[in-house]
């Protein structure tokens, strides 16, 4: 039997689409930390059938934009004293900075090493964004 204890203080990322948990775990760098974390895959869910779940026994700064791009339907629960103190529902961000690099080798951002380029959401279904400088589309 698999037994994963509740956490006293930290973060639970819930309702992750089945199979996306490891990607989020790796993106957050949780494989390198020295505090307790748990990635639970293929958890039974009434709404989703199966889902992934991540428990982090520590308060860390999460980049909600990155999480929103990977899985906009997940939920971030902030835990204190073993209770949910805050529940954050994500969505696909309309604009993002500092996550993507433009794929167009002729874009001015590539030639002049411009950082924090803004990308604007153009297709929610495909999770596609376009570069603010050259309109080249990109996705995660």
């Amino acid at each position: 039997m698999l037994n994963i204890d509740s956490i006293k203080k930290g973060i639970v990322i819930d309702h992750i689409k089945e199979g996306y948990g490891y990607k989020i775990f790796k993106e957050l760098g949780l494989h390198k930390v020295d505090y307790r974390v748990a990635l639970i895959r293929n958890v039974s869910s009434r709404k989703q059938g199966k889902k992934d779940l991540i428990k982090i026994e520590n308060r860390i700064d999460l980049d909600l934009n990155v999480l929103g791009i990977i899985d906009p339907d997940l939920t971030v629960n902030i835990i204190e004293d073993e209770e949910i103190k805050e529940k954050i529902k994500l969505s696909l961000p309309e604009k993002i900075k500092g996550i993507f690099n433009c794929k167009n080798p002729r874009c001015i951002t590539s030639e002049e090493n411009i950082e924090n380029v803004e990308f604007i959401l153009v297709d929610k279904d495909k999770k596609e964004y376009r570069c603010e400088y050259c309109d080249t589309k990109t996705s995660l």
Side-chain angles (χ1 to χ4, degrees):
M1 175 181 218
L2 180 65
N3 185 20
I4 306 228
D5 294 335
S6 62
I7 57 175
K8 291 183 180 181
K9 182 178 181 180
I11 298 169
V12 174
I13 304 173
D14 198 3
H15 304 109
I16 302 169
K17 275 186 203 156
E18 179 185 7
Y20 282 61
Y22 182 70
K23 188 172 188 174
I24 292 171
F25 196 85
K26 195 172 166 188
E27 187 67 38
L28 295 176
L30 297 174
H31 57 292
K32 301 176 191 171
V33 300
D34 59 355
Y35 43 84
R36 291 188 336 158
V37 294
L39 166 62
I40 309 162
R41 300 176 64 198
N42 301 318
V43 178
S44 295
S45 168
R46 277 184 264 151
K47 289 183 182 176
Q48 296 173 263
K50 288 187 176 183
K51 66 179 181 179
D52 292 349
L53 179 75
I54 296 173
K55 290 186 171 189
I56 306 165
E57 195 166 64
N58 193 9
R59 288 291 305 265
I60 60 172
D61 288 330
L62 294 175
D63 188 338
L64 298 178
N65 283 334
V66 171
L67 294 179
I69 292 169
I70 295 172
D71 184 359
D73 299 322
L74 63 77
T75 306
V76 176
N77 297 316
I78 308 299
I79 310 294
E80 288 183 22
D81 298 324
E82 296 186 18
E83 293 183 12
I84 297 173
K85 290 295 178 190
E86 185 180 354
K87 187 175 274 207
I88 303 168
K89 295 206 176 223
L90 300 183
S91 61
L92 209 54
E94 294 293 323
K95 295 179 181 179
I96 54 173
K97 280 186 173 180
I99 295 173
F100 296 129
N101 291 319
C102 187
K103 293 179 178 177
N104 179 0
R106 294 185 188 159
C107 179
I108 191 166
T109 61
S110 301
E111 293 179 9
E112 296 192 11
N113 249 352
I114 298 173
E115 294 180 8
N116 292 324
V117 177
E118 186 171 271
F119 285 81
I120 299 155
L121 181 65
V122 291
D123 189 331
K124 282 187 175 183
D125 295 331
K126 294 180 182 175
K127 299 180 184 177
E128 280 187 340
Y129 288 83
R130 71 174 170 75
C131 173
E132 69 175 314
Y133 289 95
C134 70
D135 292 335
T136 298
K137 291 180 182 176
T138 191
S139 61
L140 193 64

